[in-house]
Amino acid sequence: MTDGAASTMGDLFANLSIFKDAIWVGGLAGALLGFIGVHIVLRRMVFASSAIAQAAALGVALSFWISAVVDPARHAAGHIAGPAAHLAPSLLFEPVLWAIAASLAATLVFIANPTHLHLTRESLLGFVFLASGAGAVIVGDKITQEAHDLNAILFGSAVVVQSMDLYLVAGATVLLLGGHVALWRALLFVGYDPMGAYVQGMPVRALNAFLFLSVGLAVALCTRALGALPVFAFSVLPAMAALALTARIGAVFVLALVLGAASGVGGYVVSFGADLPVGATQTATAVALLAAALTWRFARSRYERSARARTASAPRTDAA
Amino acid sequence: MLPPGERLLRADGLVVGYDRTPILPPLSATIGAGELWAVIGPNGSGKSTFVRTALGLVKPLGGVVERKPGARLAYVPQQSMLDAIFPISVIDFVLMGLQGPRNVSLWRAGHGLADARAALDVAGARAFERKQLRDLSGGQRQRVLIARALATDADLIFLDEPTAALDATAEHEVLELIERLRGKRGAAVVMVTHLVEDGLERADRALLLDRDRGVALAATAREIRSAPEFAHVYGRFVGRGGVDA
């Protein structure tokens, strides 16, 4: 570590009271999305979280743009008043509400059965992702004052977060993670063998609705606080790493939660020390953990294969 | 133990199909406790649609399906329907059989371990309870699937192609195990199968379906074998060493 980097890390610890909210949000979002991400990965709906995160980003961009169009004087006054004010000139234009609304709308598209249109669910996800991505860029081009905020939401470059974001993410973590911990076996059964679960009288629709709505809500709140890129990363990469490290399903959930939290906190600390963008560094941290897990998995597979080969080729010592 | 022959499921003038289009003629059948039914027919004959309708997954286009109030149902899927990406151990899979409307979360899984292990014992699959379901051979995996049905303590068990992709030895073992299923509590078993000869030999009753020829016939296995519709559907194979469709 260079002197400059060391002093930067020193700054982090010296000013921990300023940055601790962002560290908490990173850890909580990583833990929540890491746990939920196991279902996302196992149900092969990885790009659902990406599309929903893009939709949330579009929702935030729209909240900026529409407030400027509908009430330009108040919007400008709010902007002059400071960051906290310009983001929410009135409750109607509160970005987090728009993010939640857009995420839930995208979630409904995901829940919909498009077979009557002779389309697959994946193609609808592609539609949502592209429409949201293009929309966010176009709307972002129309708003100049909040362009930096929008960039932070898309890529997660915010070094500090608002207290309200921390409260919302913490509340979502307690409620949604609590629900997921209580229902993990039920959600697993419904995802693995939906017909068997239905026949045994499991509330399949209610459980799926809980899963999809919790994904939509978690992604919306975390995207508003952290940005679309790290949110997509947290909802996919820790679960993949956990699945590479163990085949015990209970341990997969615990590991995904821990790796997600580690990516959020570790990524923030590394970004501060190395003066890198926060969201990209959190994503890179999750990628590094996954790479390490896959390397360990590969090495273990090779070792087990060679051990089996040695056993098979060993001379038999049992007397005839 | 259910009284033998007690009505568990009744289909009366049942019309099955998709998108408001019937695929089979109206069908009437009553499934009683302790009975083993074979659902036979060529590929694409409507067997799966019938099963999905009987289970309540698809709405009937006409007629009625009545299940005995409070009857417990279990479904054994085709092995190919279970996604190998899921890291599900044998014991975790059988524990799923204990989940239901009164035990959605299975929060205290440890309380069901004894029941799950007893089911594995009956299915001859206890030895690999800690293994991953995806790592087992086809025959071993099918025994575990049936163990879950045993763990449900169901009154009526549906099996979808339980012998698909099994070798002859495993096929024989699984068919023996299916016969034992109904011994427990006198449950009724409905087995969708492509093994026409074996199915009719072991079953009490059978359902012959063929959407192309407009056949939907429910009768005893013996009656099905001698029915003109059977010869019509399988005629060119009869007497040539089996009619496995």
Side-chain angles (χ1 to χ4, degrees), chain A residues 25-36:
Chain A
V25 167
L28 290 171
L32 173 62
L33 293 167
F35 195 97
I36 295 177

Side-chain angles (χ1 to χ4, degrees), chain B residues 39-43 47 161-166 171 191-199 234 243-245:
Chain B
V39 182
I40 57 172
N43 285 341
K47 302 190 292 289
E161 297 283 7
T163 54
L166 298 186
E171 198 175 274
M191 171 177 64
V192 176
T193 181
H194 63 283
L195 299 176
V196 179
E197 289 287 2
D198 276 336
Y234 292 109
V243 290
D244 294 347

Side-chain angles (χ1 to χ4, degrees), chain A residues 42 44 182 193 195 198 200 247, chain B residues 56 83 96 99 101 132 148:
Chain A
L42 289 178
R44 300 172 188 262
D193 180 14
M195 262 183 86
Y198 178 88
Q200 283 179 219
Chain B
D83 193 341
M96 288 176 181
Q99 291 179 262
Q132 291 287 303
R148 189 183 75 176

